[in-house]
Amino acid sequence: MNAFIASDLLKRDYKGCKKTFCLCCNKLPMKYGWFSLYYRKQSSNRNFSTRVVINSVSLPNETEVAVIGSGIGGLVTATKLAKRGVKVAVFEKYLIPGGSSGYFTKDGLIFDVGASMIFGLGNKGTTNTLTRALAAVGIELETIPDPVQIHYHLPDNINIRVHRSYEKFLEELQMRFPHERQGLKNFYDECWQVFHSLNSIELLSLEEPYYLLRVFREKPLACLGLVKYLSWNAGDIARKYISDPIVLAFIDLECYCWSVVDANKTPMINAGMVFGDRHYGGIHYPKGGVGTIARSLAKGLESLGGSIHYGNPVVSILCDHSQDSFGRKLMHTKGIQLKNRHIVTSQYVVSNATRWNTFDQLLPDIALPVMEQRWRENYQMSPSFLSIHLTVDANRLSYPIVDCHHIVLENWEEMETAKDAQGTIFVSIPTVLDSSLAPAGYHIFHIFTPSWMEEWIGLSPEEYKEKKQRLKNHILARLEKAVFPGLTSAIQQAIVGSPRTHRRFLSRLDGTYGPIPRRKLPGLLTMPLNRTSIDKLYCVGDSTFPGQGLNAVAFSGFSCSHRIAADMDLVPHLPVWLDRWLSWWISYSRFQ
Ligand SMILES: NC(=O)c1ccc[n+]([C@@H]2O[C@H](COP(=O)([O-])OP(=O)(O)OC[C@H]3O[C@@H](n4cnc5c(N)ncnc54)[C@H](O)[C@@H]3O)[C@@H](O)[C@H]2O)c1
Ligand SMILES: CC(C)=CCC/C(C)=C/C=C/C(C)=C/C=C/C(C)=C/C=C/C=C(C)/C=C/C=C(C)/C=C/C=C(\C)CCC=C(C)C
């Protein structure tokens, strides 16, 4: 989808044949490196391809830590390390930072490509991971609080709004389901307990034993509470208190809309985090669009002496063999190679690409480590999304829009149906909160629904185009009937993205939203942390503990940078042999 940034530019400049300027700010890109663009007219229907060649002068030959990818996970790792004085270089395949939390512009409007409901931007506690990541680089974003996290439009005319106020939300829910009054209170109260435990401890690497011992000593009750819930799923707790199948289906949907699985497969720690933080720190929209978070982190990284190199796909992680202190053969990283064959030597490598991308594409010559095999036995790729970005004339809608995020489901049985745009529809209208994203009188709609890659392969270009149009019309008809009368006639422009679009522009295998359990697993216990079986290769982002979510990947960035800092001797840690043995035990025997 971010192609639209490029296509915007092509319209203006393709005749120039050879230009040098930055695609993200349209200025001469001194700080981003020099892009040489040359455009080739590909076919008579005015499609153009763009090739971006980076002048290798701006690329480093060596660095202390090389980070592959500038998603929020990669950027937080990089900024936290740069803050400690480590020399960090980030290599990003695309032309702007952010990955799934990036943006594109078209005709002066700003569209978020993925993330839009942002947790972790609150101003208190410890779970406001995004606020803290930005503060670490001296940046405070202007954000707009969202008074309603989600407006649910459900079967049998059930309408529920998740208010910022916990009491108001619970009251609305209890009025709708009076027979489950106590059960609902018990369930959500238990989620609060988990949240309060999390929110009272410093959040760092769980595979750094010195930190664990310290945090257990400082907050024993909170830690024991977390240990208790680590192996539980939200569905287990909900079933302790609630028996009405419709209320349980609602709890499933409450989990599904961010974890893409039902409550039985959703870790209780994550549910506690989401169901607590939305009422505590709250949901906030960053003024100017979600892209400002990644742009600010990238700016912060550069101000701390780190560098970020756009349009630079990493094609392989370079490894060597060595022996550890127990005499075992080990593989360790020694750098990365870029698509233009440039090699960057680096003792530490962090991959913000998914674990599938990392081990299948960037390490094709090594046998898949046992730890990764186990991970794949437990987790599979979630579906991708069919996304529709609309510009809508607000005056032509039949009534004013008040809530930013909506979920529409007409049939409980179809919650997880992802074929042919039948199941849950997500709608985000960020202009409700931030009118600066579009001209006065217009709304931006981002509508999406899960969709599998397999439905989109093997189509001819015409079939592909036709399928996008057909599913778009189907979704819009559903929305028009269920929630937004007059929507279709108010549309000024529509841009449709498929799983193929997500794969291409977000560089995620099959365009996946992230990993999901293949079956019911013991909560978060089986989710891998940042270290991998290859010495000094770390993963960060949503295929590491605790999974999807911008605040979750920001946490994984805190945790990854902390583990690396311990490995670099920059923070206190146990004697190396004890540290190695304990963190091996935590990572390999407990989590894998
Ligand atoms: N809150 C919401 O509304 C919402 C919606 C969608 C996604 N999200 C979240 O966004 C999170 C994703 O964050 P993340 O940090 O895991 O990663 P990400 O996928 O956002 O970013 C990864 C980055 O790595 C880059 N990359 C991949 N392979 C590369 C290579 N070989 N060379 C160079 N660069 C490469 C990609 O271009 C991308 O910029 C997910 O957890 C998801 O939950 C949230
Ligand atoms: C080691 C041992 C044994 C022990 C230890 C104990 C302890 C200390 C523990 C601890 C733990 C921890 C720290 C944990 C942490 C966690 C976390 C941080 C978590 C987080 C999470 C988050 C999340 C999950 C989030 C999510 C979100 C999301 C995903 C969102 C999404 C959204 C969307 C998709 C949108 C929708 C839309 C519409 C509706 C429109």
Side-chain angles (χ1 to χ4, degrees), residues 16-281:
C17 203
K18 197 160 188 185
K19 292 267 170 193
T20 42
F21 54 88
C22 171
L23 279 179
C24 45
C25 61
N26 286 352
K27 289 180 191 145
L28 285 180
M30 287 308 290
K31 59 182 178 176
Y32 294 108
W34 290 88
F35 294 102
S36 302
L37 293 172
Y38 51 94
Y39 314 124
R40 270 180 295 123
K41 190 172 176 180
Q42 269 197 326
S43 66
S44 53
N45 66 4
R46 296 177 67 79
N47 280 330
F48 300 95
S49 75
T50 310
R51 269 192 67 197
V52 180
V53 182
I54 304 296
N55 190 337
S56 58
V57 174
S58 60
L59 290 170
N61 293 321
E62 59 169 329
T63 182
E64 281 181 280
V65 179
V67 179
I68 306 168
S70 67
I72 297 299
L75 285 173
V76 172
T77 311
T79 45
K80 296 291 278 183
L81 285 169
K83 182 87 181 163
R84 291 188 187 279
V86 177
K87 194 171 156 195
V88 189
V90 178
F91 300 89
E92 168 55 52
K93 188 169 178 176
Y94 195 51
L95 309 169
I96 54 168
S100 310
S101 42
Y103 66 99
F104 66 91
T105 58
K106 185 145 172 39
D107 301 334
L109 288 90
I110 303 170
F111 297 85
D112 300 324
V113 297
S116 62
M117 178 191 290
I118 312 301
F119 293 81
L121 279 175
N123 56 14
K124 48 185 178 172
T126 60
T127 48
N128 52 349
T129 50
L130 287 173
T131 304
R132 292 193 304 124
L134 288 157
V137 292
I139 294 177
E140 190 182 339
L141 282 189
E142 187 183 347
T143 62
I144 303 153
D146 191 348
V148 172
Q149 181 216 4
I150 300 179
H151 186 158
Y152 288 104
H153 309 264
L154 302 175
D156 305 320
N157 286 326
I158 299 177
N159 257 278
I160 290 162
R161 293 164 92 212
V162 182
H163 299 278
R164 165 79 193 263
S165 149
Y166 178 59
E167 289 71 28
K168 201 170 163 192
F169 160 64
L170 202 57
E171 201 181 300
E172 191 166 316
L173 201 55
Q174 288 172 327
M175 271 172 64
R176 194 70 190 71
F177 303 110
H179 52 291
E180 288 287 12
R181 195 175 180 80
Q182 194 56 42
L184 281 163
K185 178 164 167 38
N186 291 346
F187 171 68
Y188 283 107
D189 278 359
E190 199 154 338
C191 293
W192 264 117
Q193 276 176 36
V194 175
F195 176 74
H196 284 310
S197 299
L198 271 175
N199 200 40
S200 62
I201 64 168
E202 196 186 352
L203 301 179
L204 290 172
S205 172
L206 297 190
E207 55 188 335
E208 205 285 275
Y210 181 81
Y211 152 74
L212 273 185
L213 293 173
R214 180 167 58 80
V215 85
F216 261 94
R217 199 187 62 228
E218 283 166 6
K219 302 275 176 184
L221 292 180
C223 290
L224 287 173
L226 291 170
V227 171
K228 173 179 160 197
Y229 288 107
L230 265 178
S231 59
W232 287 83
N233 289 309
D236 303 326
I237 310 293
R239 274 163 185 76
K240 266 196 340 195
Y241 302 120
I242 298 167
S243 53
D244 180 339
I246 298 294
V247 181
L248 288 172
F250 174 74
I251 305 276
D252 278 340
L253 185 60
E254 276 260 88
C255 292
Y256 179 77
C257 67
W258 48 270
S259 69
V260 215
V261 282
D262 63 23
N264 269 330
K265 291 188 189 146
T266 300
M268 183 58 183
I269 297 242
N270 286 358
M273 178 78 175
V274 169
F275 299 154
D277 194 36
R278 64 189 183 182
H279 305 292
Y280 178 85

Side-chain angles (χ1 to χ4, degrees), residues 322-330:
S322 57
Q323 278 192 343
D324 70 5
S325 40
F326 302 107
R328 286 174 312 190
K329 267 199 171 169
L330 262 191

Side-chain angles (χ1 to χ4, degrees), residues 355-356 360 372-379 518:
R355 293 187 102 92
W356 294 287
D360 292 352
E372 298 303 318
Q373 288 174 25
R374 275 204 229 152
W375 184 69
R376 288 178 191 202
E377 283 159 20
N378 286 333
Y379 294 89
R518 286 186 185 274

